[in-house]
Amino acid sequence: MFDLLCKSILHRKNGYFITARNPVLTCVRFLSTDANQHSFTISYLIKTYGFSPESAVSISKSVSFENPEKPDLVLSFFKNLGFSKSQISEIIRKYPRILSPNPEKAIFPKVEFFRSKGASTPDLIRIFSCYPWLFTRSLDNQLVPSFNFFRDFHQSDEKTIAAIKRYPNILARRLETAVIPNINTLQENGVPAANILLLVRYHPQKIEMETDKFKKIVEEVKKMGFDPLKSQFVLAIMVLIGTSRSMWDRKVDVYKRWGWSTEDIYRAFAKYPWCMAISEDKVMAVMDFYVNKLNLESSVTAHRPLLLSLSLKKRLVPRASVIQFLSSKSLIKMDSGITRVFEYTEKDFMEKCINCYEEAPQLLKLYNEKLELSKQLDDQQQGKRKMVLHFGPFGRDAGSCNT
């Protein structure tokens, strides 16, 4: 029986008390060896990683240790790789048991495997912060075979790592039941390997869908008239996998509000499948911009659906300020053809809409002001998101998966 200083509150459980008489440090009295071990874990998590007492207690339900030897070894390992303490905390928060097994066997070899394939520290942070449960998978029986399977597609360790970063969970899936049958379905329908690679590389999570459902979506895309030999075929599959029937119907309703016909919607989907993956709020905002701010017909976007995906703040508004200025000086005509300006690369936009005019200094100043305003708004929104992540209703102690 002994006393241990520990941070605030909690309750009576398993024969020990944590009281809240002092908001910073409280005296904890333990009545058993198990309680001593449990209390050491809580104290260690608070002092070493800065977890709140509530979070430390929650984590201690999954892992417990009576001395700092193994957890210190884990901390040193990740710190030496370049992980920050908050990034290590994020992994522990998601997968507390990372602190309990023998790290030389359960952790280090798996990290070293990814490093041997060229994964950088930011790559490792992304992969293991997003999906630390990879540590529960066998290196020889799961991780290595899965990595090699996807490497055969990419023909490059670097590109394979890039795909895994987008969806680390894919390495934990059973290839024989969750991946290979769907790839076979695409091959059987004549989809070229290069287009299958688009799916595997950029949206690996879409390839692990239940086989029967995947086949139904492939058939649906074929009925829509998509050519399996073209990349639009797999793009349409990607969109339909992530779109429920109710979501599809809501998108249809949004476009119809702007005067699109059913034929317009399917024509736009055939040209640019991602138009049905854009959020309803984004569609409303962008359509309002084209129709009410630029006085264009809504049919313009139906014929050029790529326009719907462009960033309102970072591209449309700044470029519109330039073309509206030019229009006010009768230097360009505001008609449906003006939308091509929004599709220009940055280099082409500068050459064709700014540098070629005598008013170039004024145009550049106007354009940069709008871009800077967009950046400030983005910074403010990111700041608000971070506040929600760190101090939201669940009191998170570490950052999000978007490292």
Side-chain angles (χ1 to χ4, degrees):
M1 189 186 307
F2 65 93
D3 291 332
L4 176 68
L5 291 177
C6 180
K7 291 182 180 177
S8 68
I9 66 171
L10 294 178
H11 50 273
R12 177 174 182 170
K13 186 175 181 181
N14 297 331
Y16 66 89
F17 290 90
I18 301 178
T19 64
R21 288 173 291 180
N22 186 313
V24 179
L25 295 175
T26 58
C27 182
V28 185
R29 184 171 299 279
F30 302 91
L31 304 179
S32 70
T33 302
D34 288 344
N36 291 344
Q37 180 175 321
H38 193 76
S39 67
F40 178 84
T41 303
I42 295 171
S43 177
Y44 179 90
L45 292 169
I46 292 171
K47 292 177 181 178
T48 306
Y49 293 100
F51 283 110
S52 67
E54 297 90 340
S55 294
V57 168
S58 177
I59 292 170
S60 71
K61 294 175 183 178
S62 300
V63 63
S64 187
F65 39 85
E66 56 188 11
N67 65 68
E69 182 180 354
K70 288 182 179 178
D72 276 355
L73 193 59
V74 173
L75 176 62
S76 297
F77 176 74
F78 282 109
K79 285 182 69 175
N80 289 336
L81 286 174
F83 283 57
S84 69
K85 189 171 288 188
S86 65
Q87 289 162 346
I88 304 171
S89 298
E90 171 71 357
I91 295 175
I92 294 171
R93 184 187 65 79
K94 290 182 176 179
Y95 179 56
R97 287 186 169 276
I98 194 174
L99 297 174
S100 63
N102 185 340
E104 291 97 334
K105 293 182 179 180
I107 300 170
F108 302 167
K110 295 166 187 176
V111 175
E112 289 302 326
F113 169 73
F114 285 100
R115 292 183 71 197
S116 73
K117 299 300 181 180
S120 64
T121 294
D123 295 338
L124 296 172
I125 291 170
R126 170 69 185 180
I127 291 169
F128 290 109
S129 293
C130 281
Y131 198 74
W133 298 277
L134 286 180
F135 289 121
T136 68
R137 300 300 193 268
S138 166
L139 178 61
D140 294 331
N141 298 329
Q142 179 70 40
L143 300 185
V144 172
S146 292
F147 185 95
N148 290 340
F149 174 83
F150 290 108
R151 194 207 177 282
D152 287 343
F153 270 93
H154 295 94
Q155 294 296 302
S156 161
D157 287 344
E158 181 181 0
K159 292 177 181 177
T160 306
I161 291 292
I164 292 169
K165 281 168 55 182
R166 294 186 183 94
Y167 189 66
N169 317 40
I170 195 68
L171 288 185
R173 301 296 185 257
R174 289 180 59 86
L175 295 174
E176 297 81 3
T177 58
V179 176
I180 294 176
N182 294 336
I183 291 177
N184 289 341
T185 295
L186 294 174
Q187 291 174 334
E188 290 164 4
N189 281 277
V191 179
N195 293 346
I196 296 176
L197 180 58
L198 286 175
L199 189 58
V200 174
R201 177 179 296 176
Y202 297 107
H203 296 272
Q205 70 275 25
K206 307 286 175 119
I207 202 68
E208 64 167 14
M209 187 178 191
E210 184 180 325
T211 303
D212 289 342
K213 291 182 179 179
F214 189 84
K215 287 182 177 179
K216 287 180 181 178
I217 287 178
V218 170
E219 288 303 313
E220 186 174 353
V221 170
K222 287 172 65 177
K223 289 177 182 178
M224 288 180 175
F226 285 88
D227 184 351
L229 295 176
K230 296 183 179 179
S231 61
Q232 300 296 81
F233 188 86
V234 293
L235 294 178
I237 290 173
M238 292 180 200
V239 172
L240 291 185
I241 286 175
T243 306
S244 67
R245 172 52 61 182
S246 61
M247 289 172 61
W248 179 276
D249 291 341
R250 289 200 303 271
K251 300 285 175 62
V252 168
D253 288 341
V254 169
Y255 285 122
K256 285 188 173 181
R257 274 187 245 170
W258 290 99
W260 286 24
S261 65
T262 300
E263 292 73 20
D264 288 332
I265 294 169
Y266 279 97
R267 187 186 304 115
F269 183 65
K271 287 184 177 180
Y272 185 66
W274 289 121
C275 71
M276 295 303 285
I278 301 170
S279 74
E280 296 155 58
D281 288 342
K282 170 75 181 291
V283 171
M284 291 296 292
V286 173
M287 290 296 290
D288 178 71
F289 171 81
Y290 290 123
V291 175
N292 297 324
K293 301 297 191 300
L294 298 185
N295 297 315
L296 300 175
E297 296 293 330
S298 65
S299 59
V300 170
T301 51
H303 292 291
R304 302 175 74 92
L306 174 63
L307 293 169
L308 295 162
S309 67
L310 303 177
S311 170
L312 190 62
K313 291 184 296 183
K314 295 179 181 179
R315 180 176 291 224
L316 300 183
V317 171
R319 294 190 181 189
S321 67
V322 172
I323 63 176
Q324 285 172 327
F325 178 91
L326 293 173
S327 176
S328 70
K329 301 293 184 181
S330 299
L331 295 173
I332 61 172
K333 184 178 180 181
M334 289 289 289
D335 57 20
S336 61
I338 202 65
T339 55
R340 67 181 181 276
V341 168
F342 299 119
E343 298 181 34
Y344 285 159
T345 64
E346 185 70 9
K347 180 181 177 182
D348 286 344
F349 177 74
M350 295 298 293
E351 290 179 355
K352 297 178 181 181
C353 300
I354 292 181
N355 295 337
C356 61
Y357 293 100
E358 292 181 2
E359 295 85 354
Q362 186 175 353
L363 290 170
L364 186 59
K365 181 175 183 294
L366 176 63
Y367 182 58
N368 286 334
E369 285 175 351
K370 294 295 183 180
L371 286 175
E372 180 59 29
L373 178 60
S374 170
K375 182 178 183 302
Q376 291 174 4
L377 291 173
D378 273 352
D379 290 344
Q380 290 173 7
Q381 290 178 351
Q382 287 178 11
K384 290 179 182 179
R385 282 196 292 269
K386 288 180 180 178
M387 288 291 288
V388 170
L389 288 171
H390 287 273
F391 306 106
F394 301 103
R396 292 183 58 177
D397 298 279
S400 73
C401 183
N402 298 319
T403 305

